[in-house]
Amino acid sequence: MDIIDKYNQERETTIQYDLFELLHTDFNYSLKHQLKNFGNDTVTNFVALFPIKGKTRISEIKVLLRNLKDILPKDLFEAAKEEVRDICDDYKWINSNEGKNILQIEEWIKAARHSMSVDFPSELIYIGRSFVNPISLIVGGYVKGKGAKDLVKSYFDQMNPPIAIEYKITVYETER
């Protein structure tokens, strides 16, 4: 197996997707558009609560949603109800201790990936989290020498990671 295949295989054992893209704080565009254009002040005021942020109370949102049951057509109400359930679940998770910790790690990962692509463009380095323990930080890959490995470790340690980094960096020999 060549070095690129090994790198890709190891990289796939960590969480690489951007978690922020998976979290919902607002209705999808189509549903929000339908609700906004429904032409009812109660519906319009309900939609104005989204994207959900700050000190928005989920209990208030659910009460207001129930008020829409007699106003909206059944299919539109059910779609809104499902979206509200997903949004509230994500909002609760975002504000949980685990959510806050993971999102802090994700922010660091985003910044580190950007910096790494600029400062180490020729090294095969990946940054991710463990599927088994999502509150983790893994930096792994392949570098061309011990000096590069030490430099990479020092570089990421100086970026003030929110938790200790688990390094899985291997030195490989290049063909001369």
Side-chain angles (χ1 to χ4, degrees), residues 12-173:
E12 288 175 12
T13 66
T14 62
I15 298 171
Q16 291 293 309
Y17 55 82
D18 184 351
L19 183 62
F20 291 98
E21 292 180 18
L22 301 177
L23 297 171
H24 296 95
T25 58
D26 201 354
F27 290 107
N28 71 54
Y29 177 79
S30 174
L31 180 59
K32 191 167 193 171
H33 183 73
Q34 287 178 16
L35 292 170
K36 276 184 166 180
N37 292 325
F38 191 72
N40 179 290
D41 289 342
T42 304
V43 176
T44 302
N45 291 338
F46 176 74
V47 173
L49 296 172
F50 299 89
I52 189 171
K53 58 188 163 215
K55 297 195 184 272
T56 304
R57 294 188 47 188
I58 292 173
S59 58
E60 292 174 27
I61 288 173
K62 289 182 177 180
V63 167
L64 293 173
L65 177 65
R66 281 192 293 272
N67 293 339
L68 300 182
K69 188 172 187 172
D70 295 331
I71 298 171
L72 297 174
K74 183 177 170 92
D75 60 333
L76 188 56
F77 175 76
E78 289 300 322
K81 183 173 146 185
E82 187 175 317
E83 283 275 317
V84 165
R85 185 180 327 116
D86 289 345
I87 290 167
C88 289
D89 287 348
D90 285 354
Y91 184 74
K92 287 176 190 175
W93 183 84
I94 288 167
N95 289 293
S96 71
N97 285 335
E98 178 185 48
K100 288 176 184 177
N101 289 335
I102 290 174
L103 292 176
Q104 184 181 23
I105 294 166
E106 285 285 324
E107 283 290 340
W108 187 90
I109 287 172
K110 230 190 262 190
R113 284 180 181 156
H114 174 73
S115 296
M116 176 191 68
S117 69
V118 172
D119 295 335
F120 297 102
S122 63
E123 302 294 352
L124 297 171
I125 303 293
Y126 63 86
I127 307 169
R129 296 182 296 112
S130 166
F131 285 104
V132 176
N133 176 17
I135 300 179
S136 62
L137 182 53
I138 300 168
V139 174
Y142 294 86
V143 295
K144 297 175 185 129
K146 172 106 173 69
K149 180 178 180 176
D150 294 340
L151 182 63
V152 167
K153 287 172 106 174
S154 173
Y155 177 84
F156 287 117
D157 286 340
Q158 288 178 18
M159 288 184 73
N160 298 318
I163 61 172
I165 298 172
E166 179 183 348
Y167 287 102
K168 296 182 176 184
I169 299 172
T170 303
V171 175
Y172 74 96
E173 295 297 320

